[in-house]
Structures are given as C-alpha cells and as structure tokens.
C-alpha cells in the first residue's frame, strides 16, 4: 500500500532471468503513483479505492503522466543491521464460506460479505 510514510522507499529488486540474478536498484528515473490499495492490515482487512485504478499501468506500452506519476526521492538505506521478523509465517488454517451477501440500498456497486464470524 501507498502510505505517506513508506511510498518513497524502494531499495532494490532482484529478478531471476534464466536462473541468473539481475539487480534493479532505485535511481532518479523511477516514478511513483498512489495505489488503489489505500489501507491494509492483517487484522482489519483492506481498503481499496477503485477510483484510483490506472488502466494499463502494468503493460509494456503504458506511458505514465503527471500529476498522477511523480519522481521518487532517493534516500539513504538503513544503516542498522536488518534481521528476520520474529514471528511465524501466516498460513491457511481453514476456509470460511459466506453466510450472506448484502448490497447497499444507496449504492448497488458495494457488497458486504458476511462470513458469520470475525476472522481477525
């Protein structure tokens, strides 16, 4: 998600092409735009603003334009030692099926899915 405190911090991306690592680091040519995912939390779910979707941004022929796309700021990386987050990885333990699906009376495009229990 693009939160104000982290949307400018891109360190590096390692791609594997034909089994060989290719390092792609941030430089002055990178651009940034707001994501339709405006909030996410493992406990509180995700807030997605469809109005912020940019059609075609993930295609090779897309041309980013201002003011939506802005240059990233180059910042120095962390100077302290990085460490593994001390928690177990999340894993699927069971699936929930919806018990009901509601549509809002004043906005038929919005659906509320009731799973019959709190999943947080």
């Amino acid at each position: 998600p693009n939160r104000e405190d982290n949307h400018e911090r891109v360190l590096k991306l390692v791609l594997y092409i034909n089994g060989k690592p290719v390092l792609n680091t941030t430089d002055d040519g990178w651009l940034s735009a707001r994501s339709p995912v405006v909030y996410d939390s493992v406990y509180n779910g995700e807030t997605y603003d469809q109005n912020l979707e940019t059609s075609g941004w993930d295609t090779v022929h897309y041309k980013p334009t201002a003011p939506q796309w802005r240059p990233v700021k180059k910042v120095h990386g962390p100077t302290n030692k990085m460490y593994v987050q001390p928690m177990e990885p999340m894993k699927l333990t069971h699936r929930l099926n919806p018990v009901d699906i509601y549509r809002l009376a004043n906005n038929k495009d919005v659906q509320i899915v009731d799973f019959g229990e709190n999943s947080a």
Side-chain angles (χ1 to χ4, degrees):
N2 274 337
R3 295 188 185 109
E4 290 303 315
D5 63 343
N6 72 4
H7 77 279
E8 296 171 345
R9 288 178 173 50
V10 175
L11 299 175
K12 62 181 143 180
L13 174 65
V14 178
L15 303 172
Y16 287 89
I17 299 174
N18 296 328
K20 296 184 185 211
V22 176
L23 182 63
N24 190 1
T25 58
T26 307
D27 64 19
D28 295 331
W30 284 44
L31 299 173
S32 172
R34 281 198 68 191
S35 165
V37 179
V38 294
Y39 175 82
D40 74 73
S41 165
V42 67
Y43 299 110
N44 297 318
E46 178 179 275
T47 301
Y48 189 92
D49 185 347
Q50 192 172 5
N51 295 314
L52 296 175
E53 284 185 354
T54 303
S55 179
W57 72 270
D58 56 346
T59 65
V60 72
H61 300 292
Y62 181 75
K63 301 285 187 237
T65 57
Q68 182 179 13
W69 290 87
R70 302 177 310 262
V72 298
K73 292 180 185 176
K74 246 178 129 171
V75 297
H76 296 288
T79 56
N80 55 341
K81 185 176 179 179
M82 295 178 73
Y83 58 92
V84 175
Q85 186 175 4
M87 70 181 279
E88 292 295 318
M90 286 185 271
K91 61 183 178 180
L92 178 66
T93 58
H94 67 278
R95 295 182 187 271
L96 295 175
N97 292 315
V99 296
D100 210 342
I101 299 176
Y102 305 91
R103 289 199 181 269
L104 295 183
N106 61 348
N107 186 345
K108 296 295 183 191
D109 294 330
V110 175
Q111 294 182 355
I112 298 174
V113 181
D114 181 358
F115 289 99
E117 64 179 83
N118 184 349
S119 63

